[in-house]
Coordinates of all heavy atoms in Angstrom, one line a residue:
M1116 N -182.0 55.7 127.0 CA -182.3 57.1 126.9 C -181.6 57.8 128.1 O -181.8 57.4 129.2 CB -183.8 57.4 127.0 CG -184.5 57.6 125.7 SD -186.2 58.0 126.0 CE -186.5 58.8 124.5
S1117 N -181.0 59.0 127.8 CA -180.4 59.7 128.9 C -181.2 61.0 129.1 O -181.6 61.7 128.1 CB -178.9 60.0 128.6 OG -178.8 60.9 127.5
D1118 N -181.3 61.4 130.3 CA -182.0 62.7 130.6 C -180.9 63.7 130.7 O -180.0 63.7 131.6 CB -182.7 62.6 132.0 CG -184.2 62.5 131.8 OD1 -184.7 62.5 130.7 OD2 -184.8 62.5 132.9
A1119 N -181.0 64.7 129.8 CA -180.0 65.9 129.9 C -180.6 66.9 130.9 O -181.7 67.3 130.7 CB -179.9 66.5 128.5
T1120 N -179.9 67.2 131.9 CA -180.3 68.1 132.9 C -179.4 69.4 132.8 O -178.3 69.3 132.5 CB -180.3 67.6 134.3 OG1 -179.0 67.2 134.6 CG2 -181.2 66.4 134.5
V1121 N -180.1 70.5 133.1 CA -179.3 71.8 133.1 C -178.8 71.9 134.5 O -179.6 71.9 135.5 CB -180.2 72.9 132.7 CG1 -179.5 74.3 132.8 CG2 -180.8 72.8 131.3
T1122 N -177.5 72.1 134.6 CA -177.0 72.3 136.0 C -176.9 73.8 136.3 O -176.5 74.6 135.4 CB -175.5 71.8 136.1 OG1 -174.8 72.3 135.0 CG2 -175.5 70.3 136.0
E1123 N -177.4 74.2 137.4 CA -177.4 75.6 137.8 C -176.0 75.9 138.4 O -175.4 75.1 139.1 CB -178.5 75.8 138.9 CG -179.9 75.8 138.3 CD -180.9 76.3 139.3 OE1 -180.6 77.1 140.2 OE2 -182.0 75.8 139.2
L1124 N -175.6 77.1 138.1 CA -174.3 77.6 138.7 C -174.5 78.0 140.2 O -175.6 78.5 140.5 CB -173.9 78.8 137.9 CG -173.5 78.6 136.5 CD1 -173.3 80.0 135.8 CD2 -172.3 77.8 136.3
D1125 N -173.5 77.7 141.0 CA -173.6 78.2 142.3 C -173.5 79.7 142.3 O -172.9 80.3 141.4 CB -172.6 77.5 143.3 CG -171.2 77.9 143.0 OD1 -170.9 79.1 143.2 OD2 -170.4 77.0 142.6
P1126 N -174.0 80.4 143.3 CA -174.0 81.9 143.3 C -172.6 82.5 143.1 O -172.5 83.5 142.4 CB -174.6 82.3 144.6 CG -175.5 81.1 145.0 CD -174.8 79.9 144.4
A1127 N -171.6 82.0 143.7 CA -170.3 82.5 143.6 C -169.7 82.4 142.2 O -169.1 83.3 141.6 CB -169.3 81.9 144.6
E1128 N -169.9 81.2 141.6 CA -169.5 81.0 140.2 C -170.3 81.9 139.2 O -169.7 82.4 138.3 CB -169.7 79.5 139.8 CG -169.3 79.2 138.4 CD -167.8 79.3 138.1 OE1 -167.0 79.5 139.0 OE2 -167.5 79.2 136.9
R1129 N -171.5 82.0 139.5 CA -172.4 82.9 138.6 C -171.9 84.3 138.6 O -171.7 85.0 137.6 CB -173.8 82.8 139.1 CG -174.8 83.5 138.2 CD -176.2 83.2 138.6 NE -177.2 83.8 137.8 CZ -177.7 85.0 138.0 NH1 -177.3 85.7 139.1 NH2 -178.6 85.6 137.2
L1130 N -171.6 84.8 139.9 CA -171.2 86.2 140.0 C -169.8 86.4 139.3 O -169.5 87.4 138.7 CB -171.1 86.6 141.5 CG -170.7 88.0 141.8 CD1 -171.6 89.0 141.1 CD2 -170.7 88.3 143.3
R1131 N -168.9 85.4 139.5 CA -167.6 85.4 138.8 C -167.7 85.5 137.3 O -167.1 86.3 136.7 CB -166.8 84.2 139.2 CG -165.4 84.2 138.6 CD -164.6 82.9 138.9 NE -165.2 81.8 138.1 CZ -165.0 81.6 136.8 NH1 -164.3 82.5 136.1 NH2 -165.5 80.6 136.2
L1132 N -168.6 84.7 136.7 CA -168.8 84.8 135.3 C -169.4 86.1 134.8 O -169.0 86.6 133.8 CB -169.8 83.6 134.8 CG -169.1 82.2 134.9 CD1 -170.2 81.2 134.6 CD2 -168.0 82.1 133.9
I1133 N -170.3 86.7 135.6 CA -170.9 88.0 135.3 C -169.8 89.0 135.3 O -169.7 89.8 134.4 CB -172.0 88.3 136.3 CG1 -173.2 87.4 136.0 CG2 -172.4 89.8 136.1 CD1 -174.3 87.5 137.1
R1134 N -169.0 89.0 136.4 CA -167.9 90.0 136.5 C -166.9 89.9 135.3 O -166.5 90.9 134.7 CB -167.1 89.8 137.8 CG -167.8 90.4 139.0 CD -167.0 90.3 140.2 NE -167.6 91.0 141.3 CZ -167.7 90.5 142.5 NH1 -167.0 89.4 142.8 NH2 -168.3 91.1 143.5
E1135 N -166.5 88.6 135.0 CA -165.6 88.4 133.9 C -166.2 88.9 132.5 O -165.4 89.5 131.7 CB -165.3 86.9 133.7 CG -164.3 86.4 134.7 CD -164.0 84.9 134.6 OE1 -164.6 84.3 133.6 OE2 -163.3 84.4 135.4
T1136 N -167.4 88.7 132.3 CA -168.1 89.1 131.1 C -168.1 90.6 131.0 O -167.8 91.1 129.9 CB -169.5 88.5 131.0 OG1 -169.4 87.0 131.1 CG2 -170.1 88.8 129.7
V1137 N -168.5 91.3 132.0 CA -168.5 92.7 132.0 C -167.1 93.3 131.8 O -166.9 94.2 131.0 CB -169.1 93.3 133.3 CG1 -169.0 94.8 133.5 CG2 -170.6 92.9 133.4
E1138 N -166.1 92.7 132.5 CA -164.8 93.2 132.3 C -164.3 93.0 130.9 O -163.5 93.8 130.3 CB -163.8 92.5 133.3 CG -164.0 93.0 134.7 CD -163.7 94.5 134.9 OE1 -162.7 95.0 134.3 OE2 -164.6 95.2 135.5
A1139 N -164.6 91.9 130.3 CA -164.2 91.6 128.9 C -164.9 92.6 127.9 O -164.3 92.9 126.9 CB -164.6 90.2 128.5
A1140 N -166.0 93.1 128.2 CA -166.7 94.1 127.3 C -166.2 95.5 127.5 O -166.3 96.3 126.6 CB -168.2 94.1 127.7
R1141 N -165.6 95.8 128.6 CA -165.1 97.2 128.9 C -164.1 97.7 127.9 O -164.3 98.9 127.5 CB -164.6 97.3 130.3 CG -165.6 97.2 131.3 CD -165.1 97.3 132.7 NE -164.7 98.7 132.9 CZ -163.7 99.1 133.7 NH1 -163.0 98.3 134.4 NH2 -163.4 100.4 133.8
P1142 N -163.1 97.0 127.4 CA -162.1 97.7 126.5 C -162.8 98.2 125.2 O -162.4 99.3 124.8 CB -161.2 96.5 126.2 CG -161.2 95.7 127.4 CD -162.7 95.7 127.8
G1143 N -163.7 97.5 124.6 CA -164.4 98.0 123.4 C -165.2 99.3 123.7 O -165.2 100.2 122.9
I1144 N -165.8 99.3 124.8 CA -166.6 100.5 125.2 C -165.7 101.7 125.6 O -165.9 102.8 125.2 CB -167.5 100.1 126.4 CG1 -168.5 99.1 126.0 CG2 -168.2 101.4 127.0 CD1 -169.3 98.4 127.1
Q1145 N -164.6 101.4 126.2 CA -163.6 102.4 126.6 C -163.0 103.0 125.3 O -162.7 104.2 125.3 CB -162.5 101.9 127.5 CG -163.1 101.6 128.9 CD -162.1 100.8 129.7 OE1 -161.2 100.1 129.2 NE2 -162.2 100.9 131.1
R1146 N -162.8 102.2 124.3 CA -162.2 102.7 123.0 C -163.1 103.8 122.4 O -162.6 104.7 121.7 CB -162.0 101.6 122.0 CG -160.7 100.9 122.2 CD -160.3 100.0 121.0 NE -161.3 98.9 120.8 CZ -161.2 97.7 121.5 NH1 -160.3 97.5 122.4 NH2 -162.1 96.8 121.3
D1147 N -164.4 103.7 122.7 CA -165.3 104.7 122.2 C -165.5 105.8 123.1 O -166.4 106.7 122.9 CB -166.6 104.0 121.8 CG -166.6 103.1 120.6 OD1 -165.7 103.4 119.8 OD2 -167.4 102.2 120.5
G1148 N -164.8 105.9 124.2 CA -164.9 107.0 125.2 C -165.8 106.8 126.3 O -166.1 107.7 127.1
G1149 N -166.4 105.6 126.4 CA -167.3 105.3 127.5 C -166.7 104.3 128.5 O -165.5 104.0 128.4
D1150 N -167.6 103.9 129.4 CA -167.1 102.8 130.3 C -168.4 102.1 130.9 O -169.5 102.6 130.7 CB -166.3 103.4 131.5 CG -165.3 102.4 132.1 OD1 -165.4 101.2 131.7 OD2 -164.5 102.8 132.9
L1151 N -168.1 101.0 131.5 CA -169.2 100.2 132.0 C -168.7 99.6 133.4 O -167.6 99.3 133.6 CB -169.3 99.0 131.0 CG -170.4 97.9 131.3 CD1 -171.8 98.5 131.2 CD2 -170.2 96.8 130.3
E1152 N -169.7 99.6 134.3 CA -169.4 99.2 135.7 C -170.5 98.3 136.2 O -171.7 98.6 136.0 CB -169.2 100.4 136.6 CG -169.1 100.0 138.1 CD -169.2 101.3 139.0 OE1 -169.4 102.4 138.5 OE2 -169.1 101.1 140.2
L1153 N -170.1 97.1 136.7 CA -171.1 96.2 137.4 C -171.4 96.8 138.7 O -170.5 97.1 139.6 CB -170.5 94.8 137.5 CG -171.4 93.8 138.3 CD1 -172.7 93.6 137.6 CD2 -170.6 92.5 138.5
V1154 N -172.7 97.1 139.0 CA -173.1 97.8 140.2 C -173.7 96.7 141.2 O -173.4 96.7 142.4 CB -174.1 98.9 139.9 CG1 -174.7 99.5 141.2 CG2 -173.5 100.0 139.1
D1155 N -174.6 95.8 140.7 CA -175.2 94.9 141.5 C -175.8 93.8 140.7 O -176.0 93.9 139.5 CB -176.4 95.6 142.3 CG -176.9 94.8 143.5 OD1 -176.2 93.8 143.9 OD2 -177.9 95.3 144.1
V1156 N -176.1 92.7 141.4 CA -176.8 91.5 140.7 C -177.9 91.1 141.7 O -177.6 90.9 142.9 CB -175.9 90.3 140.5 CG1 -176.7 89.2 139.9 CG2 -174.8 90.7 139.5
Q1157 N -179.1 91.1 141.3 CA -180.3 90.7 142.1 C -181.1 89.7 141.3 O -181.9 90.1 140.4 CB -181.1 91.9 142.5 CG -180.4 93.0 143.3 CD -181.3 94.2 143.5 OE1 -182.4 94.3 143.2 NE2 -180.7 95.2 144.2
G1158 N -180.9 88.5 141.6 CA -181.7 87.4 140.8 C -181.3 87.4 139.4 O -180.1 87.3 139.1
D1159 N -182.3 87.6 138.5 CA -181.9 87.6 137.1 C -181.6 89.0 136.5 O -181.4 89.2 135.4 CB -183.1 87.0 136.2 CG -184.3 87.9 136.2 OD1 -184.5 88.8 137.1 OD2 -185.2 87.7 135.3
R1160 N -181.6 90.0 137.4 CA -181.3 91.4 137.0 C -179.8 91.7 137.3 O -179.3 91.5 138.4 CB -182.2 92.4 137.7 CG -183.6 92.2 137.3 CD -184.5 93.2 138.0 NE -184.5 92.8 139.5 CZ -184.9 93.6 140.4 NH1 -185.5 94.8 140.1 NH2 -184.8 93.3 141.7
V1161 N -179.1 92.2 136.3 CA -177.7 92.7 136.4 C -177.7 94.2 136.2 O -178.1 94.7 135.1 CB -176.8 92.0 135.3 CG1 -175.4 92.5 135.4 CG2 -176.9 90.5 135.5
F1162 N -177.3 94.9 137.2 CA -177.3 96.4 137.2 C -176.0 96.9 136.7 O -175.0 96.6 137.3 CB -177.7 97.0 138.5 CG -179.1 96.7 139.0 CD1 -179.4 95.5 139.6 CD2 -180.1 97.6 138.8 CE1 -180.7 95.2 140.0 CE2 -181.4 97.3 139.1 CZ -181.7 96.1 139.8
L1163 N -176.0 97.6 135.6 CA -174.8 98.1 135.0 C -174.8 99.7 134.9 O -175.9 100.2 134.6 CB -174.5 97.6 133.6 CG -174.4 96.1 133.5 CD1 -174.3 95.7 132.0 CD2 -173.2 95.6 134.3
R1164 N -173.7 100.3 135.2 CA -173.7 101.8 135.1 C -172.8 102.1 133.9 O -171.6 101.7 133.8 CB -173.1 102.4 136.3 CG -173.0 103.9 136.2 CD -172.5 104.5 137.5 NE -173.5 104.3 138.6 CZ -173.2 103.7 139.7 NH1 -172.0 103.3 140.0 NH2 -174.2 103.5 140.6
L1165 N -173.3 102.8 132.9 CA -172.6 103.4 131.8 C -172.1 104.8 132.2 O -172.8 105.5 132.9 CB -173.5 103.5 130.6 CG -173.9 102.1 129.9 CD1 -174.9 102.4 128.9 CD2 -172.7 101.4 129.4
S1166 N -170.9 105.1 131.8 CA -170.4 106.4 132.1 C -169.6 107.0 130.8 O -169.5 106.3 129.8 CB -169.5 106.4 133.3 OG -168.4 105.5 133.1
G1167 N -169.0 108.1 131.0 CA -168.3 108.8 129.9 C -169.2 109.1 128.7 O -170.4 109.5 129.0
K1168 N -168.8 108.9 127.5 CA -169.6 109.2 126.4 C -170.9 108.4 126.3 O -171.8 108.8 125.6 CB -168.8 109.1 125.1 CG -167.8 110.2 124.9 CD -167.1 110.1 123.5 CE -166.1 111.2 123.4 NZ -165.5 111.2 122.0
C1169 N -170.9 107.3 126.9 CA -172.1 106.4 126.9 C -173.3 107.1 127.5 O -174.4 106.8 127.1 CB -171.9 105.1 127.7 SG -170.7 104.0 126.9
T1170 N -173.1 108.1 128.4 CA -174.3 108.7 129.0 C -175.1 109.6 128.1 O -176.2 109.9 128.3 CB -173.8 109.6 130.2 OG1 -172.9 110.6 129.8 CG2 -173.2 108.7 131.3
T1171 N -174.4 110.0 127.0 CA -175.2 110.9 126.0 C -175.3 110.2 124.7 O -175.8 110.8 123.7 CB -174.4 112.2 125.8 OG1 -173.1 112.0 125.4 CG2 -174.4 113.0 127.1
C1172 N -174.9 109.0 124.6 CA -174.9 108.2 123.3 C -176.3 107.6 123.0 O -176.9 107.0 123.9 CB -173.9 107.1 123.3 SG -173.8 106.2 121.8
S1173 N -176.8 107.8 121.8 CA -178.1 107.3 121.5 C -178.1 105.8 121.3 O -179.1 105.1 121.2 CB -178.6 107.9 120.2 OG -177.7 107.6 119.1
L1174 N -176.9 105.2 121.3 CA -176.7 103.7 121.1 C -176.5 103.0 122.5 O -176.2 101.8 122.5 CB -175.6 103.4 120.1 CG -175.8 103.9 118.7 CD1 -174.6 103.7 117.9 CD2 -177.1 103.4 118.1
A1175 N -176.6 103.7 123.6 CA -176.4 103.1 124.9 C -177.2 101.9 125.1 O -176.8 100.9 125.7 CB -176.6 104.2 126.0
G1176 N -178.5 101.9 124.7 CA -179.4 100.8 124.8 C -178.9 99.6 124.1 O -179.0 98.4 124.5
Q1177 N -178.3 99.8 122.9 CA -177.7 98.7 122.1 C -176.5 98.1 122.8 O -176.3 96.9 122.8 CB -177.4 99.1 120.7 CG -178.7 99.4 119.9 CD -178.3 99.7 118.5 OE1 -177.2 100.0 118.1 NE2 -179.4 99.7 117.6
T1178 N -175.7 99.0 123.5 CA -174.6 98.5 124.2 C -175.0 97.6 125.3 O -174.5 96.5 125.5 CB -173.8 99.7 124.8 OG1 -173.3 100.5 123.7 CG2 -172.6 99.3 125.6
L1179 N -176.0 98.0 126.1 CA -176.5 97.2 127.2 C -177.1 95.9 126.6 O -177.0 94.8 127.2 CB -177.6 98.0 128.0 CG -177.0 99.1 128.8 CD1 -178.2 99.9 129.5 CD2 -176.0 98.7 129.8
G1180 N -177.8 96.0 125.5 CA -178.3 94.8 124.9 C -177.2 93.8 124.5 O -177.4 92.6 124.6
G1181 N -176.1 94.3 124.0 CA -175.0 93.5 123.6 C -174.4 92.8 124.8 O -174.0 91.6 124.7
V1182 N -174.3 93.5 125.9 CA -173.7 92.9 127.1 C -174.7 91.9 127.6 O -174.3 90.8 128.1 CB -173.5 94.0 128.2 CG1 -173.1 93.4 129.5 CG2 -172.4 95.0 127.7
R1183 N -176.0 92.1 127.5 CA -177.0 91.1 127.9 C -176.9 89.8 127.1 O -176.9 88.7 127.7 CB -178.4 91.7 127.7 CG -179.5 90.8 128.1 CD -180.8 91.5 127.9 NE -181.9 90.9 127.2 CZ -182.0 90.2 126.1 NH1 -180.9 89.8 125.5 NH2 -183.1 89.7 125.6
R1184 N -176.7 90.0 125.8 CA -176.5 88.8 125.0 C -175.2 88.0 125.4 O -175.2 86.8 125.4 CB -176.5 89.1 123.5 CG -177.8 89.5 123.0 CD -177.8 89.7 121.5 NE -177.1 90.9 121.0 CZ -177.5 92.1 121.1 NH1 -178.7 92.4 121.5 NH2 -176.8 93.1 120.7
L1185 N -174.1 88.7 125.7 CA -172.9 88.1 126.1 C -173.1 87.3 127.4 O -172.7 86.2 127.6 CB -171.8 89.1 126.3 CG -171.2 89.8 125.1 CD1 -170.3 90.9 125.5 CD2 -170.5 88.8 124.2
L1186 N -173.8 88.0 128.4 CA -174.1 87.4 129.7 C -175.0 86.1 129.5 O -174.7 85.1 130.1 CB -174.8 88.4 130.6 CG -173.9 89.5 131.2 CD1 -174.8 90.5 131.8 CD2 -172.9 88.9 132.1
M1187 N -176.0 86.2 128.7 CA -176.9 85.0 128.5 C -176.1 83.9 127.9 O -176.3 82.7 128.2 CB -178.1 85.4 127.6 CG -179.1 86.3 128.4 SD -180.5 86.9 127.6 CE -180.8 85.8 126.2
A1188 N -175.2 84.1 126.9 CA -174.4 83.1 126.3 C -173.5 82.5 127.3 O -173.3 81.2 127.4 CB -173.6 83.6 125.1
K1189 N -172.9 83.3 128.2 CA -171.9 82.8 129.2 C -172.6 82.0 130.3 O -172.1 81.0 130.7 CB -171.1 83.9 129.8 CG -170.0 83.6 130.7 CD -168.9 82.8 130.0 CE -167.7 83.7 129.9 NZ -166.6 83.0 129.4
L1190 N -173.8 82.5 130.7 CA -174.5 81.9 131.9 C -175.4 80.8 131.4 O -175.9 80.0 132.3 CB -175.3 82.9 132.6 CG -174.5 84.1 133.3 CD1 -175.4 85.2 133.8 CD2 -173.5 83.5 134.4
N1191 N -175.8 80.8 130.2 CA -176.8 79.8 129.6 C -178.1 79.9 130.4 O -178.7 78.9 130.7 CB -176.3 78.4 129.7 CG -177.0 77.5 128.8 OD1 -177.6 77.9 127.8 ND2 -177.1 76.2 129.2
E1192 N -178.5 81.2 130.6 CA -179.8 81.5 131.3 C -180.2 82.9 130.9 O -179.4 83.7 130.6 CB -179.7 81.3 132.8 CG -178.8 82.4 133.4 CD -178.7 82.2 135.0 OE1 -178.2 81.2 135.4 OE2 -179.0 83.2 135.7
P1193 N -181.5 83.2 131.0 CA -181.9 84.6 130.7 C -181.6 85.5 131.8 O -181.6 85.2 133.0 CB -183.5 84.4 130.6 CG -183.8 83.2 131.3 CD -182.6 82.3 131.3
V1194 N -181.2 86.7 131.4 CA -180.9 87.8 132.4 C -181.5 89.1 131.8 O -181.7 89.2 130.6 CB -179.3 88.0 132.6 CG1 -178.7 86.8 133.3 CG2 -178.6 88.3 131.3
R1195 N -181.7 90.0 132.8 CA -182.1 91.3 132.4 C -181.0 92.3 132.8 O -180.5 92.2 133.9 CB -183.4 91.7 133.2 CG -184.6 90.9 132.7 CD -185.8 91.1 133.5 NE -186.0 92.4 134.0 CZ -186.7 92.8 135.1 NH1 -187.3 91.9 135.8 NH2 -186.8 94.0 135.4
V1196 N -180.6 93.1 131.9 CA -179.6 94.2 132.2 C -180.4 95.5 132.4 O -181.1 95.9 131.6 CB -178.6 94.3 131.0 CG1 -177.7 95.5 131.2 CG2 -177.8 93.0 130.9
V1197 N -180.1 96.0 133.6 CA -180.8 97.2 134.0 C -179.8 98.3 134.2 O -178.8 98.2 134.9 CB -181.5 97.0 135.4 CG1 -182.2 98.2 135.9 CG2 -182.4 95.8 135.3
P1198 N -180.0 99.5 133.5 CA -179.1 100.6 133.7 C -179.2 101.2 135.1 O -180.3 101.5 135.6 CB -179.5 101.6 132.6 CG -180.9 101.3 132.3 CD -181.1 99.8 132.6
A1199 N -178.0 101.4 135.7 CA -178.0 102.0 137.1 C -177.7 103.4 136.9 O -176.9 103.8 136.1 CB -176.9 101.3 137.9
P1200 N -178.3 104.3 137.8 CA -178.0 105.7 137.6 C -176.6 106.1 138.0 O -176.0 105.4 138.8 CB -179.0 106.4 138.6 CG -179.4 105.3 139.5 CD -179.2 104.0 138.8
L1201 N -176.1 107.2 137.5 CA -174.8 107.7 137.9 C -174.9 108.3 139.3 O -176.0 108.7 139.8 CB -174.4 108.9 137.0 CG -174.1 108.5 135.6 CD1 -173.8 109.8 134.7 CD2 -172.8 107.6 135.5
D1202 N -173.8 108.2 140.1 CA -173.8 108.7 141.5 C -173.8 110.2 141.5 O -173.3 110.8 140.6 CB -172.6 108.1 142.2 CG -172.8 106.7 142.6 OD1 -173.9 106.2 142.7 OD2 -171.8 106.0 142.7

């Protein structure tokens, strides 16, 4: 019998994967007139700022949920996506 263990990502690799995932999601959001920016990562919370048309879109929550699902698939761990306020 073999014990399957989950390997944790080191912090630098985890941040790199988060950045890559957010950047990969941006073109689709930009095509709709919005944009997405990674603001901060604190533990399991990923702070994202939506801008452009996303700020008034009723589907912005679904956009953040979609990014959350992408992040969870890439990281193989639960994350919370938190909207960051505009500056």
